[in-house]
Amino acid sequence: MEDWKRNGRAFWTLGSPATFWLVVFFLAPLAYLLVLSFSSKAVIDGQVSVNDYAYLTGIDNYVRTLNPDIISIFLRTLWWSALATIACLLVGYPIAFAICFMPERWRPLALLLIVLPFWINLLIRTYALKTVLGARGLVGGSLNAILEPFGMQADIIGTTPAVIFGLVYVFLPFMILPLYSTIERLDKSYLEASLDLGASQFQTFYKVTLPLTMPGIVTGLILVFIPCLGMFLISDELGGTTSWMIGNVIQSQFGSSNDWPFGSALSFVLMLLTIIVLFIQWYVQNHSKGVGAQ
Amino acid sequence: MATQMKPGVGPLEYGRRRWLQALFAVTLIVLYVPIFVLIAFSFNQQNRGGVWKGFTLENYPKAWQNQSIYDAMVNSLTIALVTTLIATVIGTMVAVMMWRFRFPLKPAYEAAMGLPIVIPEICMGVALLLFFNSTGLMGFFSAMVWPFNLSTIIIAHIAFCFPFVAIVVRSRLVGFNKQLEEASRDLGANEWQTFWQVLVPYMKPGIIAGALLAFTLSLDDFVITFFTAGPETVTFPVKIYSMVKTGVKYEVNAASTILILITILATVLAMKLQAPEKSGH
Amino acid sequence: MADPIVSVRNVSRRYPGGVTAVDNVSVDIMPNEFFALLGPSGCGKTTLLRMISGLDTPSEGHIFIGGEDMALTPPNKRPTNMVFQSYAVFPHMTVAQNVAYGLKVTGVPADEIKRRVGEGLEQVKLSHLADRKPDQMSGGQRQRVALARALVKRPKVLLLDEPLSALDAKLRDDMRLELTRLQQEVGITFIIVTHDQDEALSMATRIAVMEKGAIRQLATPEELYEHPTSRFVADFIGKVNLFEADVVSQKGKALVCNAKGLGKMNLSSDRECGKQVTIAVRPEKLKLSKTSPKVDGLIKAEARVRDVAYYGDWSEVVVELANGQTVSVNVQNEKRDVNASVTRGEKTYVSWSPTDSLVLTE
């Protein structure tokens, strides 16, 4: 690698468009978001203005995030995201494992089949899922047909399991991809050595496979957990008004509730949460010995 | 776990374990059934209701003739194409810059470049919404004629797409043999010629993959578009969102089916373009 | 004779897609043997070893270890342990943890584990590295860990898959002696897979030479070298000169052949030879002389020296017969005479005793 000073012209030519875009259309908006989160709506002539702000008035908006309702929504968001992430891991790990041990010629196809839905528009998939789970849909309808003779009725849409299922449905490929690439790279003779030394399949999994694939697991957990945190579409479409996640609250501050400073504070807290999660990942990855660490 | 073995099946042949095969099959079914149902209903006769009434192709011309669906589709494709073009160019340039140069605060620069990828979309969406509003850009652009009224969305899309392009291209560059560049200079080419004749052809698979990634990301994006769209502009995902809110017509299924086909084609194309390169290295 | 410790009965291994790695192999391996499976890559030797360990399973046939059928026994329940070609030393465990692993997972009491791990590391001279991680060790050291890890399990049979192939030449010689010493010390059966004939000849008590999934010959090293039963084995083990010959007549053991470039000769063979045979002679059994040897009964031919390769204690001389066939002759450099006894282009006579030639029918 050469020092930028040795060829300043090339350095600036190559770097400035992206840097400009990054600073003006990403960092500046984030900075403005931060400023607004410490601001409040301006009061003009005793009237609260709709879209004028008194800047940097204090930490009121952050105090408001400590409201029990908001806290409970934050906790619910974390809890549901965690549940969905764990579910993705429990389903994704065996599947990634199975793909890795398929005959070589089937592997690319199997992987493509798992990953393809990820390329399909999130909204279309959510809508598709809603149709199927709905009271008259393939799954929801069949469930009701079974329950009808007993005089019962069930609505899947609007329940917590529906939201969590939706999150798993949408983010499962994010879990499988990093797991697949880690397990694929794992030297299978480690597993053979373990079996050969007298460990059962379960012991081998727990003492050898799991520790050696930890980097992939951590990456998968992050790739699922973070987008879950900011999700509002799925809780909106598959959940009811009682199953809001923090994304829904933020969205409403910029929509019907029209309280941008508060929305900014919530967004900033959400971003902080994300960065904390990433820091934990960085820490775990750098303090564990595994395939990826070598 | 089984303590006995089946003859002819090795202890590590997990690909032949029935329960794993079953789990794989069930997962595929769960992943695809909703999508197939959606596609199937795009051929349903009766509009709305969720009951199968018989096969028809009518929904497709209807979707085509539905001005708002058509406009949304055209908007989405325009945004995706312009975004792809600009994001690919600046993403590739910055990838070369980061690959080639050592400069102060590089780790911080790289981290900032990664932020648009890792922070939740909703945060980026609202930040851009605030920014466009407070700077007056939103009003400025939305008053313009098509396609310039899409500018805010395109700017936002470029902002979250080019870091992806940069990552893909840079990972391609890691395998580049610097001696090729030196050989080119040694043979008398200047820096500019070397860049175009040696480096760009080498990066090509990465650039194409990055471009297709940017295209699909832009075409798929709902959250950031939702926040940065002017009051009058509608993209396809936003259109579906509002149609789902107001009750679904099967024209949406038809239009979605077409969008699914476009994305699958783009994905398969991307894989095809990358595949021969993989085996060559 | 004692009962075999490992008995392979009509074992085949076919893979989906039609590849047959091992084809109807039967072999008995005795207690305390140092047994080698030798063959070119792809001959099925590793597959056979893996089926004994349980890491692969036969498509047909049975494997008995200590008299017990292993068909349904998974690798972790078998009294065998393996030293892998890649060593497979767990990267996330220290040396001591690696060696303790096999004892720990089978519930050996902690104090016994400690004692046995200590002994095991002592045995491979690695006690001072007990707390190292494998990524801080050399290939040779990692291999010792793999050895100790298998040996502390006190298996009835130790399986070694190409144990020396990844080591450099000097280390390989040391390890070869080390393995022979260990085998005598612990007194268990070793089965080693190798493609290197020197390795097999120098270490093993018996060698099975494999080709295309089948055992071509099973014998002691000396017998394999001096009495190969096929062209393949003669050619694979050591260097050999081969001559095509027509059978003129055969009466009992007495055989008269007509070899191209050599003329008529009287040989002996135990079997029915048919019309065509191959005559094999090792290069060190051949003699070169400036004049035609006067001794009766020798097989001899006039030749021209084509090439001389000097190796210090001996030289390999390649001579060309009148019909163009080349023959290798090993010459011991017994005298301190710098002016070599043969030079390129020189006329010479090559000769050997009929008893040193071997008649091969396959």
Side-chain angles (χ1 to χ4, degrees):
Chain A
M1 233 177 272
E2 63 185 291
D3 196 89
W4 72 277
K5 283 182 201 142
R6 278 192 51 202
N7 196 341
R9 207 166 50 119
F11 175 74
W12 288 113
T13 316
L14 288 169
S16 25
T19 311
F20 169 80
W21 221 279
L22 187 70
V23 171
V24 176
F25 297 122
F26 182 71
L27 296 178
L30 282 190
Y32 184 64
L33 178 101
L34 185 60
V35 169
L36 203 66
S37 72
F38 289 103
S39 306
S40 56
K41 289 192 174 181
V43 179
I44 302 167
D45 303 332
Q47 291 266 310
V48 178
S49 163
V50 180
N51 44 21
D52 289 311
Y53 302 100
Y55 289 108
L56 298 175
T57 48
I59 58 164
D60 289 5
N61 295 315
Y62 289 96
V63 174
R64 281 172 68 196
T65 62
L66 298 176
N67 170 310
D69 287 347
I70 299 293
I71 295 261
S72 74
I73 292 179
F74 259 114
L75 290 177
R76 178 197 292 159
T77 306
L78 286 170
W79 173 234
W80 285 5
S81 301
L83 281 180
T85 309
I86 296 297
C88 278
L89 179 66
L90 293 180
V91 177
Y93 200 100
I95 287 185
F97 214 77
I99 298 178
C100 284
F101 283 91
M102 276 181 189
E104 199 139 3
R105 65 210 147 99
W106 291 110
R107 268 183 244 162
L109 181 67
L111 202 62
L112 179 70
L113 282 175
I114 292 286
V115 176
L116 202 56
F118 154 72
W119 291 104
I120 294 170
N121 194 301
L122 174 72
L123 205 75
I124 294 180
R125 282 188 291 158
T126 313
Y127 163 47
L129 196 59
K130 191 179 181 179
T131 318
V132 172
L133 294 182
R136 278 176 296 186
L138 191 65
V139 174
S142 318
L143 183 68
N144 276 330
I146 296 168
L147 290 177
E148 215 172 9
F150 306 99
M152 285 189 288
Q153 221 199 335
D155 214 347
I156 302 174
I157 302 291
T159 61
T160 304
V163 176
I164 292 170
F165 180 77
L167 292 172
V168 174
Y169 178 76
V170 161
F171 291 124
L172 185 62
F174 284 14
M175 178 63 83
I176 292 180
L177 273 182
L179 284 175
Y180 172 80
S181 69
T182 316
I183 299 172
E184 166 92 289
R185 275 184 297 141
L186 176 71
D187 184 349
K188 307 300 179 289
S189 63
Y190 291 134
L191 316 191
E192 295 184 334
S194 171
L195 288 175
D196 181 70
L197 289 166
S200 63
Q201 291 271 4
F202 179 75
Q203 283 171 319
T204 299
F205 177 76
Y206 183 70
K207 289 183 179 243
V208 177
T209 318
L210 209 54
L212 289 179
T213 50
M214 203 41 96
I217 296 176
V218 173
T219 309
L221 291 177
I222 294 297
L223 286 184
V224 175
F225 189 72
I226 288 181
C228 279
L229 284 182
M231 178 53 74
F232 69 91
L233 257 179
I234 289 177
S235 41
D236 198 27
E237 294 293 327
L238 301 178
T241 41
T242 52
S243 46
W244 268 19
M245 293 172 76
I246 200 63
N248 303 88
V249 184
I250 295 176
Q251 190 210 359
S252 79
Q253 301 311 314
F254 290 89
S256 50
S257 307
N258 193 24
D259 190 346
W260 291 16
F262 183 47
S264 301
L266 290 172
S267 300
F268 198 73
V269 173
L270 180 58
M271 249 188 303
L272 275 184
L273 273 179
T274 312
I275 288 166
I276 290 170
V277 171
L278 286 171
F279 178 78
I280 293 172
Q281 180 218 11
W282 174 84
Y283 187 85
V284 171
Q285 209 102 67
N286 281 280
H287 293 77
S288 69
K289 278 262 181 296
V291 174
Q294 289 179 7
Chain B
M1 289 283 159
T3 50
Q4 285 204 332
M5 301 210 300
K6 261 192 240 156
V9 181
L12 281 179
E13 288 186 80
Y14 299 110
R16 294 174 67 180
R17 294 288 162 93
R18 291 269 175 252
W19 71 274
L20 276 176
Q21 288 173 342
L23 181 70
F24 185 71
V26 168
T27 306
L28 281 188
I29 291 170
V30 171
L31 280 179
Y32 282 95
V33 159
I35 294 166
F36 282 132
V37 168
L38 177 132
I39 294 174
F41 272 73
S42 74
F43 300 106
N44 194 8
Q45 268 176 4
Q46 196 207 24
N47 227 334
R48 73 181 71 200
V51 183
W52 183 257
K53 288 282 178 177
F55 182 85
T56 179
L57 285 172
E58 269 173 32
N59 294 316
Y60 285 83
K62 263 196 221 158
W64 186 255
Q65 280 152 16
N66 182 327
Q67 192 61 40
S68 60
I69 293 184
Y70 179 80
D71 287 349
M73 204 71 159
V74 170
N75 280 347
S76 274
L77 287 171
T78 309
I79 292 166
L81 284 174
V82 178
T83 300
T84 303
L85 197 70
I86 301 178
T88 305
V89 171
I90 68 174
T92 303
M93 284 163 70
V94 79
V96 174
M97 186 271 259
M98 290 198 290
W99 166 73
R100 183 163 159 190
F101 292 106
R102 204 176 332 107
F103 53 92
L105 292 179
K106 192 172 177 184
Y109 186 83
E110 282 172 345
M113 191 71 72
L115 268 187
I117 295 173
V118 295
I119 69 162
E121 277 183 295
I122 192 169
C123 298
M124 188 161 169
V126 299
L128 283 162
L129 166 66
L130 296 174
F131 176 77
F132 286 139
N133 256 297
S134 65
T135 52
L137 284 174
M138 184 71 90
F140 176 71
F141 282 123
S142 52
M144 292 171 110
V145 294
W146 192 90
F148 298 101
N149 59 351
L150 304 174
S151 297
T152 47
I153 305 176
I154 293 175
I155 288 172
H157 280 206
I158 294 170
F160 78 79
C161 283
F162 87 82
F164 281 97
V165 177
I167 284 187
V168 174
V169 174
R170 203 179 167 192
S171 68
R172 168 86 191 160
L173 277 172
V174 169
F176 182 74
N177 180 356
K178 288 229 178 195
Q179 288 185 348
L180 291 179
E181 241 182 2
E182 290 163 10
S184 164
R185 298 301 297 272
D186 179 65
L187 292 168
N190 64 27
E191 195 169 350
W192 183 247
Q193 288 166 323
T194 302
F195 179 77
W196 281 105
Q197 303 289 332
V198 178
L199 202 59
V200 169
Y202 179 81
M203 288 190 295
K204 210 166 138 199
I207 297 175
I208 292 170
L212 283 162
L213 183 63
F215 184 78
T216 25
L217 284 173
S218 167
L219 202 60
D220 275 2
D221 181 73
F222 167 72
V223 177
I224 291 174
T225 316
F226 179 78
F227 287 105
T228 53
E232 305 297 322
T233 38
V234 172
T235 67
F236 188 70
V238 175
K239 179 71 191 167
I240 300 180
Y241 182 68
S242 62
M243 288 185 89
V244 173
K245 283 269 172 217
T246 54
V248 180
K249 294 183 175 169
Y250 292 128
E251 291 149 40
V252 182
N253 292 46
S256 301
T257 303
I258 290 170
L259 193 67
I260 290 173
L261 282 180
I262 294 176
T263 17
I264 289 179
L265 275 180
T267 312
V268 172
L269 192 68
M271 297 207 164
K272 275 259 151 48
L273 285 171
Q274 275 180 299
E277 279 300 323
K278 261 186 195 163
S279 57
H281 286 263
Chain C
M1 210 153 142
D3 290 329
I5 182 81
V6 177
S7 181
V8 176
R9 291 274 75 97
N10 303 95
V11 163
S12 295
R13 177 63 168 122
R14 284 175 242 288
Y15 290 107
V19 182
T20 302
V22 172
D23 192 7
N24 196 19
V25 163
S26 296
V27 59
D28 284 335
I29 296 161
M30 296 298 154
N32 301 336
E33 251 195 307
F34 199 128
F35 193 91
L37 290 166
L38 175 66
S41 64
C43 70
K45 56 192 190 300
T46 299
T47 309
L48 184 56
L49 190 81
R50 288 167 56 83
M51 286 193 288
I52 295 172
S53 76
L55 293 170
D56 206 335
T57 47
S59 313
E60 286 148 38
H62 290 269
I63 292 171
F64 299 85
I65 299 176
E68 263 179 80
D69 188 351
M70 290 284 133
L72 298 175
T73 311
N76 48 316
K77 307 275 186 220
R78 294 194 184 193
T80 59
N81 284 109
M82 178 119 128
V83 175
F84 289 80
Q85 186 173 12
S86 64
Y87 315 139
V89 174
F90 302 127
H92 59 301
M93 300 180 191
T94 63
V95 168
Q97 284 168 337
N98 260 288
V99 178
Y101 183 84
L103 303 173
K104 219 165 161 182
V105 291
T106 43
V108 175
D111 50 338
E112 194 187 333
I113 293 181
K114 210 177 159 206
R115 187 173 53 74
R116 277 164 72 174
V117 169
E119 285 170 11
L121 286 175
E122 191 74 29
Q123 216 161 30
V124 296
K125 306 184 185 104
L126 276 183
S127 307
H128 59 297
L129 298 179
D131 295 322
R132 283 269 182 98
K133 281 278 180 80
D135 54 3
Q136 308 161 328
M137 300 175 77
S138 69
Q141 289 169 329
R142 262 183 279 171
Q143 173 159 58
R144 283 160 193 272
V145 178
L147 253 174
R149 185 175 71 174
L151 284 174
V152 292
K153 290 279 295 174
R154 294 179 187 156
K156 285 185 184 161
V157 183
L158 185 74
L159 310 168
L160 303 111
D161 186 7
E162 300 271 8
L164 308 178
S165 64
L167 303 177
D168 54 51
K170 174 80 180 72
L171 214 53
R172 203 177 307 172
D173 287 340
D174 294 347
M175 204 63 203
R176 198 143 66 177
L177 295 172
E178 178 103 13
L179 282 177
T180 334
R181 175 185 70 81
L182 268 175
Q183 200 259 337
Q184 276 156 12
E185 206 172 287
V186 296
I188 58 176
T189 310
F190 277 30
I191 304 179
I192 183 174
V193 154
T194 178
H195 65 273
D196 184 322
Q197 38 144 333
D198 290 338
E199 240 169 79
L201 291 176
S202 62
M203 289 194 288
T205 48
R206 274 202 306 160
I207 300 171
V209 183
M210 290 185 71
E211 189 204 9
K212 292 179 187 149
I215 293 179
R216 296 303 301 266
Q217 190 171 358
L218 173 61
T220 61
E222 297 80 3
E223 207 173 307
L224 267 187
Y225 187 78
E226 303 295 358
H227 300 282
T229 53
S230 63
R231 262 185 95 129
F232 172 78
V233 174
D235 206 20
F236 191 75
I237 311 252
K239 260 200 137 127
V240 73
N241 295 301
L242 298 169
F243 304 93
E244 299 302 325
D246 297 323
V247 177
V248 177
S249 67
Q250 181 174 22
K251 279 188 193 116
K253 282 192 170 189
L255 181 73
V256 181
C257 298
N258 189 3
K260 286 174 197 111
L262 296 171
K264 268 196 185 163
M265 57 183 77
N266 298 312
L267 299 168
S268 77
S269 172
D270 293 338
R271 26 179 146 180
E272 192 58 48
C273 290
K275 283 202 168 102
Q276 286 247 313
V277 290
T278 304
I279 296 164
V281 200
R282 299 282 182 200
E284 75 276 8
K285 310 283 195 274
L286 299 175
K287 294 273 178 298
L288 290 180
S289 52
K290 307 245 184 213
T291 53
S292 182
K294 296 284 178 282
V295 189
D296 273 349
L298 283 187
I299 299 168
K300 54 193 166 187
E302 196 183 313
R304 196 162 286 282
V305 177
R306 266 201 26 196
D307 215 345
V308 184
Y310 178 72
Y311 290 101
D313 53 342
W314 65 285
S315 295
E316 183 186 359
V317 181
V318 180
V319 301
E320 190 178 311
L321 302 185
N323 69 347
Q325 183 173 2
T326 57
V327 178
S328 287
V329 184
N330 289 358
V331 179
Q332 287 296 319
N333 298 323
E334 286 159 338
K335 300 249 163 64
R336 282 189 64 220
D337 184 4
V338 181
N339 303 313
S341 51
V342 285
T343 47
R344 237 161 252 162
E346 193 183 357
K347 201 173 104 176
T348 183
Y349 290 88
V350 58
S351 62
W352 70 93
S353 149
T355 52
D356 284 337
S357 41
L358 211 84
V359 179
L360 300 174
T361 51
E362 35 178 307

